[in-house]
Amino acid sequence: MPRTIPRVDGDRLLRRLLELGRIGAIEGTTGCCRLALTDADRDGRDLVRARMDELGLDVEVDGIGNVVATMPHPSGRAPVMTGSHIDTVATGGRYDGNLGVLAGLEVIETVMTEGIELARPLAVAWFTDEEGARFAPDMLGSLVYVGGMPIEEALQITDRDGASVGAELDRIGYRGTAPIPGRAPHAFVELHIEQGPVLEDAGLRIGAVEGVQGISWTELTLTGRSCHAGTTPMRLRRDPGVVASRVNLFVRELTGRLGGTQVGTCGVIAPTPNLVNVVPSTVTMTVDLRNTDDAVLTDAEDELAEFVARAAADEGVEVAARSLARFAPVEFDRRVVDLVATVADDHGLDHRRMPSGAGHDAQMFARICPTAMIFTPSVDGISHNVDELTHPADLEAGANVLLDVMLRLAETEFA
Ligand code: GLV
Ligand code: MN
Ligand code: MN
Protein backbone atom coordinates (compact mmCIF):
# COMPACT_ATOMS: atom_id res chain seq x y z
CA MET A 1 0.00 0.00 0.00
CA PRO A 2 1.42 3.40 -0.88
CA ARG A 3 2.15 5.49 2.20
CA THR A 4 -0.37 8.32 2.83
CA ILE A 5 1.53 11.58 3.10
CA PRO A 6 0.01 13.98 5.67
CA ARG A 7 -0.44 17.59 4.56
CA VAL A 8 -0.14 20.93 6.32
CA ASP A 9 -2.87 23.57 6.16
CA GLY A 10 -1.40 25.97 3.59
CA ASP A 11 -4.05 28.67 4.18
CA ARG A 12 -3.34 28.71 7.92
CA LEU A 13 0.39 28.99 7.24
CA LEU A 14 -0.16 31.92 4.87
CA ARG A 15 -2.49 33.64 7.35
CA ARG A 16 0.13 33.39 10.06
CA LEU A 17 2.87 34.72 7.79
CA LEU A 18 0.71 37.73 6.99
CA GLU A 19 -0.18 38.19 10.67
CA LEU A 20 3.49 38.19 11.72
CA GLY A 21 4.32 40.42 8.74
CA ARG A 22 2.00 43.10 10.14
CA ILE A 23 4.32 43.54 13.12
CA GLY A 24 6.98 46.05 12.14
CA ALA A 25 5.30 46.49 8.75
CA ILE A 26 6.90 49.22 6.64
CA GLU A 27 4.09 51.52 5.55
CA GLY A 28 3.21 51.52 1.89
CA THR A 29 5.10 48.25 1.28
CA THR A 30 4.73 44.55 2.03
CA GLY A 31 8.03 44.67 3.94
CA CYS A 32 9.02 44.52 7.59
CA CYS A 33 11.48 46.08 9.98
CA ARG A 34 11.95 43.87 13.02
CA LEU A 35 15.60 44.31 13.91
CA ALA A 36 16.76 41.96 16.65
CA LEU A 37 15.69 42.78 20.23
CA THR A 38 13.73 45.91 19.30
CA ASP A 39 10.13 46.47 20.44
CA ALA A 40 8.92 45.11 17.10
CA ASP A 41 10.99 41.96 17.56
CA ARG A 42 9.49 41.57 21.04
CA ASP A 43 5.97 41.93 19.64
CA GLY A 44 6.71 39.35 16.94
CA ARG A 45 8.14 37.01 19.57
CA ASP A 46 5.08 37.43 21.79
CA LEU A 47 2.77 36.59 18.89
CA VAL A 48 4.61 33.41 17.87
CA ARG A 49 5.04 32.38 21.48
CA ALA A 50 1.29 32.72 22.06
CA ARG A 51 0.69 30.30 19.15
CA MET A 52 3.16 27.85 20.69
CA ASP A 53 1.45 28.08 24.07
CA GLU A 54 -2.02 27.61 22.50
CA LEU A 55 -0.77 24.36 20.98
CA GLY A 56 0.38 23.12 24.38
CA LEU A 57 4.06 22.96 23.46
CA ASP A 58 6.78 23.01 26.08
CA VAL A 59 8.30 26.46 25.45
CA GLU A 60 11.78 27.28 26.75
CA VAL A 61 13.74 30.53 26.46
CA ASP A 62 17.51 30.45 26.96
CA GLY A 63 19.99 33.08 28.09
CA ILE A 64 20.45 34.58 24.60
CA GLY A 65 16.70 34.71 23.93
CA ASN A 66 16.44 31.66 21.68
CA VAL A 67 12.98 30.10 22.00
CA VAL A 68 12.54 26.33 21.60
CA ALA A 69 9.05 24.76 21.62
CA THR A 70 8.85 20.98 21.88
CA MET A 71 5.72 18.86 21.45
CA PRO A 72 4.72 16.73 24.42
CA HIS A 73 6.15 13.22 24.10
CA PRO A 74 6.47 10.41 26.61
CA SER A 75 10.00 9.38 25.57
CA GLY A 76 11.99 12.43 26.61
CA ARG A 77 14.25 11.65 23.63
CA ALA A 78 16.15 14.34 21.72
CA PRO A 79 13.74 15.96 19.24
CA VAL A 80 13.92 16.40 15.51
CA MET A 81 14.25 20.16 15.44
CA THR A 82 13.36 22.73 12.85
CA GLY A 83 13.57 26.49 13.12
CA SER A 84 14.89 29.74 11.80
CA HIS A 85 14.53 33.38 12.84
CA ILE A 86 11.90 36.09 13.10
CA ASP A 87 14.20 39.11 13.21
CA THR A 88 14.54 40.93 9.88
CA VAL A 89 16.93 43.38 8.28
CA ALA A 90 15.66 46.97 8.45
CA THR A 91 14.24 46.68 4.93
CA GLY A 92 13.21 43.03 5.02
CA GLY A 93 10.32 40.98 3.73
CA ARG A 94 7.75 38.67 5.32
CA TYR A 95 9.34 35.35 4.48
CA ASP A 96 13.06 35.38 5.29
CA GLY A 97 13.28 33.32 8.49
CA ASN A 98 9.60 33.71 9.34
CA LEU A 99 8.69 30.91 6.95
CA GLY A 100 10.99 28.44 8.70
CA VAL A 101 9.51 29.20 12.11
CA LEU A 102 5.84 29.31 11.14
CA ALA A 103 6.12 26.27 8.85
CA GLY A 104 7.74 24.40 11.75
CA LEU A 105 4.79 25.35 13.94
CA GLU A 106 2.43 24.27 11.18
CA VAL A 107 4.20 20.89 10.92
CA ILE A 108 3.83 20.29 14.66
CA GLU A 109 0.20 21.41 14.69
CA THR A 110 -0.53 19.00 11.82
CA VAL A 111 1.20 16.10 13.57
CA MET A 112 -0.65 16.79 16.82
CA THR A 113 -4.11 17.30 15.32
CA GLU A 114 -3.77 14.21 13.13
CA GLY A 115 -2.57 12.19 16.13
CA ILE A 116 0.51 10.92 14.29
CA GLU A 117 2.63 8.84 16.65
CA LEU A 118 6.38 9.27 16.46
CA ALA A 119 9.41 7.59 18.02
CA ARG A 120 10.64 10.98 19.26
CA PRO A 121 9.26 14.51 19.59
CA LEU A 122 9.45 17.35 17.11
CA ALA A 123 10.56 20.84 18.12
CA VAL A 124 10.45 24.25 16.47
CA ALA A 125 12.75 27.09 17.46
CA TRP A 126 13.66 30.63 16.61
CA PHE A 127 17.10 32.01 17.19
CA THR A 128 18.09 35.52 18.24
CA ASP A 129 19.68 37.99 15.82
CA GLU A 130 20.11 35.70 12.83
CA GLU A 131 20.37 38.68 10.56
CA GLY A 132 23.32 40.32 12.26
CA ALA A 133 21.91 43.60 10.96
CA ARG A 134 21.85 45.07 14.48
CA PHE A 135 24.39 42.98 16.44
CA ALA A 136 27.30 41.26 14.62
CA PRO A 137 27.95 38.45 13.98
CA ASP A 138 24.91 37.07 12.18
CA MET A 139 23.45 33.76 13.43
CA LEU A 140 24.35 34.95 16.94
CA GLY A 141 21.67 33.00 18.84
CA SER A 142 22.28 29.69 17.09
CA LEU A 143 26.06 30.18 17.41
CA VAL A 144 25.64 30.49 21.17
CA TYR A 145 23.14 27.58 21.28
CA VAL A 146 25.72 25.20 19.79
CA GLY A 147 28.52 26.41 22.06
CA GLY A 148 30.34 28.40 19.36
CA MET A 149 30.54 31.59 21.45
CA PRO A 150 30.44 31.96 25.25
CA ILE A 151 27.18 33.55 26.40
CA GLU A 152 29.09 36.17 28.43
CA GLU A 153 30.80 37.39 25.26
CA ALA A 154 27.56 37.44 23.27
CA LEU A 155 25.69 39.45 25.91
CA GLN A 156 28.30 42.22 25.71
CA ILE A 157 28.03 42.78 21.95
CA THR A 158 26.73 46.27 21.20
CA ASP A 159 24.85 47.86 18.33
CA ARG A 160 25.96 51.13 16.68
CA ASP A 161 24.28 53.16 19.42
CA GLY A 162 26.05 51.26 22.20
CA ALA A 163 23.05 49.17 23.39
CA SER A 164 24.15 45.68 24.44
CA VAL A 165 22.54 42.34 23.64
CA GLY A 166 22.22 41.60 27.38
CA ALA A 167 20.53 44.91 28.20
CA GLU A 168 18.18 44.64 25.23
CA LEU A 169 17.21 41.07 26.12
CA ASP A 170 16.35 42.26 29.64
CA ARG A 171 14.44 45.24 28.29
CA ILE A 172 12.19 43.14 26.06
CA GLY A 173 11.86 40.35 28.66
CA TYR A 174 13.56 37.59 26.68
CA ARG A 175 16.59 36.67 28.76
CA GLY A 176 15.56 33.17 29.79
CA THR A 177 17.04 30.43 31.92
CA ALA A 178 17.20 27.35 29.67
CA PRO A 179 20.75 26.00 29.62
CA ILE A 180 23.43 27.24 27.21
CA PRO A 181 24.79 25.48 25.19
CA GLY A 182 21.44 23.92 24.32
CA ARG A 183 20.63 20.24 24.02
CA ALA A 184 21.77 18.64 20.74
CA PRO A 185 18.72 17.64 18.68
CA HIS A 186 18.49 14.23 17.00
CA ALA A 187 18.61 16.10 13.67
CA PHE A 188 17.96 19.64 12.41
CA VAL A 189 16.27 20.72 9.18
CA GLU A 190 15.41 24.32 8.22
CA LEU A 191 12.95 25.45 5.57
CA HIS A 192 13.89 28.82 4.06
CA ILE A 193 13.19 30.85 0.96
CA GLU A 194 16.09 30.63 -1.49
CA GLN A 195 16.66 34.42 -1.54
CA GLY A 196 18.28 34.05 -4.97
CA PRO A 197 17.13 33.36 -8.55
CA VAL A 198 18.40 29.81 -9.18
CA LEU A 199 15.24 27.76 -8.55
CA GLU A 200 12.91 30.16 -10.35
CA ASP A 201 15.26 30.41 -13.34
CA ALA A 202 15.37 26.64 -13.65
CA GLY A 203 11.62 26.20 -13.10
CA LEU A 204 12.20 24.10 -9.95
CA ARG A 205 10.11 23.94 -6.76
CA ILE A 206 12.59 22.69 -4.14
CA GLY A 207 16.29 23.10 -3.36
CA ALA A 208 18.02 20.36 -1.37
CA VAL A 209 20.68 22.51 0.25
CA GLU A 210 24.08 20.85 0.43
CA GLY A 211 25.87 23.53 2.42
CA VAL A 212 26.44 27.22 3.08
CA GLN A 213 29.24 29.34 1.69
CA GLY A 214 31.87 30.94 3.91
CA ILE A 215 31.16 34.43 5.24
CA SER A 216 33.64 37.18 6.12
CA TRP A 217 32.48 40.55 7.46
CA THR A 218 34.97 43.36 8.13
CA GLU A 219 34.28 46.83 9.48
CA LEU A 220 36.72 49.55 8.43
CA THR A 221 36.99 52.88 10.20
CA LEU A 222 38.83 55.32 7.96
CA THR A 223 40.03 58.51 9.62
CA GLY A 224 41.25 61.55 7.70
CA ARG A 225 40.82 65.25 8.31
CA SER A 226 37.60 67.20 8.06
CA CYS A 227 37.89 70.52 6.24
CA HIS A 228 36.06 73.07 4.08
CA ALA A 229 34.93 71.74 0.69
CA GLY A 230 35.38 75.11 -1.01
CA THR A 231 38.62 76.40 0.39
CA THR A 232 40.87 73.37 0.81
CA PRO A 233 43.10 72.66 -2.23
CA MET A 234 42.84 69.08 -3.41
CA ARG A 235 46.51 68.36 -2.73
CA LEU A 236 46.02 69.16 0.97
CA ARG A 237 43.09 66.81 1.58
CA ARG A 238 43.04 63.59 3.58
CA ASP A 239 39.63 62.39 2.53
CA PRO A 240 38.44 59.01 3.89
CA GLY A 241 35.51 59.16 1.46
CA VAL A 242 37.93 58.75 -1.43
CA VAL A 243 39.47 55.69 0.24
CA ALA A 244 35.99 54.20 0.84
CA SER A 245 35.09 54.69 -2.82
CA ARG A 246 38.30 53.03 -3.98
CA VAL A 247 37.73 50.09 -1.62
CA ASN A 248 34.19 49.63 -2.94
CA LEU A 249 35.44 49.57 -6.55
CA PHE A 250 38.27 47.25 -5.59
CA VAL A 251 35.78 44.76 -4.08
CA ARG A 252 33.85 44.73 -7.36
CA GLU A 253 37.06 44.24 -9.37
CA LEU A 254 38.26 41.50 -6.99
CA THR A 255 35.05 39.47 -7.29
CA GLY A 256 35.30 39.64 -11.09
CA ARG A 257 38.91 38.52 -11.03
CA LEU A 258 38.36 35.63 -8.57
CA GLY A 259 35.18 34.53 -10.35
CA GLY A 260 33.43 31.33 -9.26
CA THR A 261 31.13 31.89 -6.32
CA GLN A 262 33.03 34.90 -4.98
CA VAL A 263 30.75 37.78 -4.03
CA GLY A 264 31.52 41.03 -2.25
CA THR A 265 29.47 43.94 -0.92
CA CYS A 266 30.12 47.24 0.83
CA GLY A 267 26.72 47.54 2.51
CA VAL A 268 27.58 50.34 4.95
CA ILE A 269 29.45 53.45 3.82
CA ALA A 270 28.79 56.09 6.45
CA PRO A 271 30.68 59.39 6.39
CA THR A 272 30.85 61.77 9.33
CA PRO A 273 29.67 64.51 9.38
CA ASN A 274 27.79 63.61 6.17
CA LEU A 275 27.35 67.18 4.89
CA VAL A 276 27.45 68.63 1.39
CA ASN A 277 30.23 71.12 1.97
CA VAL A 278 32.46 69.29 4.44
CA VAL A 279 35.23 66.81 3.61
CA PRO A 280 34.43 63.95 6.00
CA SER A 281 36.61 63.27 9.00
CA THR A 282 35.77 59.57 9.14
CA VAL A 283 34.03 56.92 7.12
CA THR A 284 32.79 53.70 8.66
CA MET A 285 32.28 51.01 6.07
CA THR A 286 31.69 47.27 5.95
CA VAL A 287 32.89 44.65 3.50
CA ASP A 288 30.95 41.37 3.17
CA LEU A 289 32.93 38.70 1.27
CA ARG A 290 31.59 35.19 0.63
CA ASN A 291 32.82 32.09 -1.16
CA THR A 292 32.10 28.35 -1.07
CA ASP A 293 35.88 27.77 -1.14
CA ASP A 294 37.55 28.79 2.12
CA ALA A 295 41.04 29.06 0.59
CA VAL A 296 39.82 31.52 -2.06
CA LEU A 297 37.89 33.44 0.60
CA THR A 298 41.07 33.76 2.65
CA ASP A 299 42.94 35.02 -0.44
CA ALA A 300 40.18 37.59 -0.99
CA GLU A 301 40.50 38.76 2.61
CA ASP A 302 44.28 39.10 2.26
CA GLU A 303 43.99 41.05 -1.00
CA LEU A 304 41.41 43.34 0.54
CA ALA A 305 43.63 44.08 3.56
CA GLU A 306 46.58 44.91 1.29
CA PHE A 307 44.50 47.17 -0.92
CA VAL A 308 42.94 49.03 2.02
CA ALA A 309 46.39 49.72 3.49
CA ARG A 310 47.67 51.01 0.13
CA ALA A 311 44.64 53.19 -0.64
CA ALA A 312 44.69 54.67 2.87
CA ALA A 313 48.43 55.44 2.65
CA ASP A 314 47.92 57.18 -0.73
CA GLU A 315 45.43 59.55 0.93
CA GLY A 316 47.14 59.95 4.33
CA VAL A 317 44.17 58.27 6.01
CA GLU A 318 44.34 55.96 9.03
CA VAL A 319 42.59 52.61 9.10
CA ALA A 320 41.20 50.51 11.95
CA ALA A 321 39.86 47.13 10.80
CA ARG A 322 37.64 44.85 12.90
CA SER A 323 36.28 41.43 12.01
CA LEU A 324 32.51 41.32 12.57
CA ALA A 325 31.93 37.75 11.42
CA ARG A 326 34.00 34.90 9.97
CA PHE A 327 32.40 31.55 9.30
CA ALA A 328 34.00 28.83 7.17
CA PRO A 329 31.89 27.12 4.49
CA VAL A 330 29.66 24.39 5.91
CA GLU A 331 28.74 21.04 4.37
CA PHE A 332 25.44 19.54 5.40
CA ASP A 333 24.93 15.86 6.26
CA ARG A 334 24.64 13.90 3.02
CA ARG A 335 22.01 11.57 4.52
CA VAL A 336 19.70 14.48 5.34
CA VAL A 337 20.33 16.17 1.99
CA ASP A 338 19.48 12.88 0.24
CA LEU A 339 16.32 12.61 2.32
CA VAL A 340 15.20 16.11 1.25
CA ALA A 341 15.76 15.15 -2.40
CA THR A 342 13.89 11.84 -1.96
CA VAL A 343 10.94 13.53 -0.29
CA ALA A 344 10.79 16.17 -3.03
CA ASP A 345 10.66 13.33 -5.58
CA ASP A 346 7.93 11.55 -3.64
CA HIS A 347 5.90 14.79 -3.61
CA GLY A 348 6.35 15.16 -7.39
CA LEU A 349 8.35 18.39 -6.95
CA ASP A 350 11.22 19.11 -9.33
CA HIS A 351 14.33 19.91 -7.35
CA ARG A 352 18.06 20.35 -7.41
CA ARG A 353 20.93 20.13 -4.96
CA MET A 354 22.50 23.52 -4.37
CA PRO A 355 24.62 25.59 -1.98
CA SER A 356 23.18 28.46 0.04
CA GLY A 357 24.47 31.94 -0.66
CA ALA A 358 22.97 33.32 2.56
CA GLY A 359 23.92 32.44 6.11
CA HIS A 360 21.43 30.38 8.14
CA ASP A 361 20.93 29.03 11.65
CA ALA A 362 21.16 25.49 10.22
CA GLN A 363 24.86 26.05 9.50
CA MET A 364 25.46 26.27 13.25
CA PHE A 365 23.45 23.10 13.97
CA ALA A 366 25.58 21.23 11.42
CA ARG A 367 28.28 21.35 14.13
CA ILE A 368 26.25 19.25 16.58
CA CYS A 369 23.79 17.01 14.69
CA PRO A 370 22.85 15.72 11.21
CA THR A 371 21.52 18.82 9.43
CA ALA A 372 20.29 20.08 6.06
CA MET A 373 17.94 22.69 4.59
CA ILE A 374 15.04 22.93 2.17
CA PHE A 375 14.73 25.93 -0.17
CA THR A 376 11.59 27.23 -1.85
CA PRO A 377 11.78 29.65 -4.82
CA SER A 378 11.98 33.43 -4.41
CA VAL A 379 10.16 35.50 -7.04
CA ASP A 380 12.82 37.32 -9.13
CA GLY A 381 15.38 36.06 -6.61
CA ILE A 382 14.71 39.12 -4.46
CA SER A 383 15.34 39.12 -0.70
CA HIS A 384 16.53 41.55 1.99
CA ASN A 385 14.08 43.80 0.17
CA VAL A 386 10.49 44.78 1.01
CA ASP A 387 9.35 43.20 -2.26
CA GLU A 388 10.48 39.71 -1.22
CA LEU A 389 7.86 37.18 -2.35
CA THR A 390 7.34 33.43 -2.49
CA HIS A 391 4.12 32.17 -4.07
CA PRO A 392 1.62 30.57 -1.66
CA ALA A 393 1.76 27.25 -3.54
CA ASP A 394 5.53 27.15 -3.04
CA LEU A 395 5.22 28.02 0.65
CA GLU A 396 2.79 25.15 1.09
CA ALA A 397 4.87 22.70 -0.96
CA GLY A 398 7.96 23.59 1.07
CA ALA A 399 6.10 23.12 4.35
CA ASN A 400 4.82 19.73 3.19
CA VAL A 401 8.34 18.64 2.32
CA LEU A 402 9.46 19.87 5.77
CA LEU A 403 6.69 17.85 7.41
CA ASP A 404 7.59 14.66 5.58
CA VAL A 405 11.34 15.09 6.15
CA MET A 406 10.77 15.61 9.88
CA LEU A 407 8.51 12.56 10.15
CA ARG A 408 11.10 10.40 8.43
CA LEU A 409 13.95 11.82 10.51
CA ALA A 410 12.00 10.95 13.65
CA GLU A 411 12.07 7.30 12.56
CA THR A 412 15.74 7.32 11.42
CA GLU A 413 18.54 6.16 13.71
CA PHE A 414 21.86 7.69 12.64
CA ALA A 415 24.93 5.50 13.04
C1 GLV B 1 21.92 36.54 6.64
O1 GLV B 1 20.76 36.77 6.25
C2 GLV B 1 23.01 36.73 5.70
O2 GLV B 1 23.31 35.80 4.93
O3 GLV B 1 23.54 37.84 5.65
MN1 MN C 1 17.09 34.11 6.91
MN1 MN D 1 18.17 37.42 6.05
Side-chain angles (χ1 to χ4, degrees):
M1 264 237 325
R3 178 172 166 273
T4 320
I5 302 174
R7 298 285 174 183
V8 302
D9 180 337
D11 291 339
R12 182 170 59 193
L13 172 60
L14 187 60
R15 263 198 321 276
R16 288 190 177 155
L17 279 162
L18 298 182
E19 178 186 45
L20 182 52
R22 281 197 284 276
I23 298 179
I26 301 171
E27 221 185 305
T29 76
T30 54
C32 273
C33 177
R34 283 200 311 277
L35 288 166
L37 309 186
T38 55
D39 289 356
D41 185 26
R42 177 201 53 216
D43 295 348
R45 285 166 172 262
D46 289 351
L47 177 73
V48 180
R49 190 179 174 157
R51 298 276 169 272
M52 292 170 160
D53 287 335
E54 279 160 24
L55 254 186
L57 306 183
D58 172 20
V59 182
E60 290 190 297
V61 184
D62 69 18
I64 190 78
N66 297 322
V67 177
V68 179
T70 309
M71 63 189 253
H73 196 273
S75 72
R77 299 177 82 194
V80 174
M81 191 185 282
T82 189
S84 196
H85 59 99
I86 59 169
D87 68 317
T88 72
V89 296
T91 53
R94 294 171 174 158
Y95 305 96
D96 177 359
N98 302 337
L99 172 62
V101 177
L102 295 177
L105 197 60
E106 182 57 39
V107 163
I108 292 181
E109 184 154 0
T110 304
V111 168
M112 288 173 71
T113 46
E114 300 214 358
I116 299 169
E117 290 193 8
L118 294 173
R120 53 177 71 248
L122 306 183
V124 56
W126 80 76
F127 302 98
T128 296
D129 186 46
E130 189 275 349
E131 293 291 5
R134 183 173 181 205
F135 302 101
D138 47 351
M139 286 83 71
L140 180 65
S142 46
L143 179 67
V144 170
Y145 185 101
V146 303
M149 180 188 281
I151 178 86
E152 300 75 22
E153 185 181 332
L155 293 174
Q156 281 171 20
I157 293 170
T158 52
D159 69 4
R160 278 188 221 145
D161 300 322
S164 72
V165 168
E168 288 295 89
L169 279 168
D170 286 337
R171 191 183 66 76
I172 68 164
Y174 271 90
R175 195 202 289 226
T177 54
I180 290 279
R183 182 185 194 188
H186 174 63
F188 187 94
V189 59
E190 178 174 355
L191 172 66
H192 205 285
I193 57 167
E194 182 202 335
Q195 307 184 270
V198 173
L199 291 175
E200 185 181 67
D201 270 2
L204 301 171
R205 306 286 306 282
I206 292 290
V209 185
E210 294 182 295
V212 179
Q213 65 181 345
I215 302 174
S216 164
W217 286 0
T218 306
E219 179 188 75
L220 301 171
T221 306
L222 308 168
T223 305
R225 189 180 54 205
S226 192
C227 55
H228 196 293
T231 61
T232 315
M234 298 310 285
R235 70 189 160 78
L236 295 180
R237 297 187 185 204
R238 292 167 48 214
D239 184 347
V242 170
V243 179
S245 303
R246 288 185 65 194
V247 169
N248 198 1
L249 291 175
F250 174 78
V251 167
R252 174 57 69 92
E253 182 270 317
L254 177 70
T255 56
R257 188 154 42 77
L258 294 176
T261 61
Q262 184 66 54
V263 288
T265 308
C266 296
V268 172
I269 302 180
T272 304
N274 202 17
L275 296 170
V276 64
N277 55 355
V278 182
V279 173
S281 56
T282 61
V283 173
T284 302
M285 71 183 296
T286 56
V287 186
D288 174 325
L289 296 172
R290 306 194 195 199
N291 201 308
T292 48
D293 182 329
D294 205 39
V296 181
L297 184 57
T298 303
D299 288 346
E301 289 173 306
D302 291 346
E303 280 209 45
L304 173 71
E306 273 172 40
F307 181 84
V308 170
R310 218 169 40 243
D314 288 350
E315 188 71 16
V317 159
E318 276 158 31
V319 185
R322 185 163 76 100
S323 173
L324 297 180
R326 180 63 166 90
F327 299 117
V330 171
E331 246 184 77
F332 287 142
D333 190 298
R334 180 147 304 277
R335 296 163 299 185
V336 188
V337 179
D338 287 348
L339 178 60
V340 172
T342 302
V343 168
D345 267 338
D346 290 355
H347 290 220
L349 298 166
D350 291 333
H351 61 88
R352 79 189 286 170
R353 291 163 197 258
M354 61 191 295
S356 169
H360 297 291
D361 295 305
Q363 77 189 83
M364 299 306 165
F365 277 84
R367 299 182 186 190
I368 61 168
C369 66
T371 296
M373 291 184 70
I374 304 159
F375 274 174
T376 55
S378 293
V379 172
D380 291 334
I382 289 178
S383 185
H384 284 188
N385 181 319
V386 294
D387 292 331
E388 180 180 276
L389 178 66
T390 293
H391 293 305
D394 287 327
L395 299 170
E396 184 171 343
N400 278 319
V401 171
L402 177 68
L403 168 61
D404 208 353
V405 168
M406 291 184 78
L407 293 180
R408 296 194 207 187
L409 285 172
E411 306 305 322
T412 303
E413 292 309 322
F414 292 100

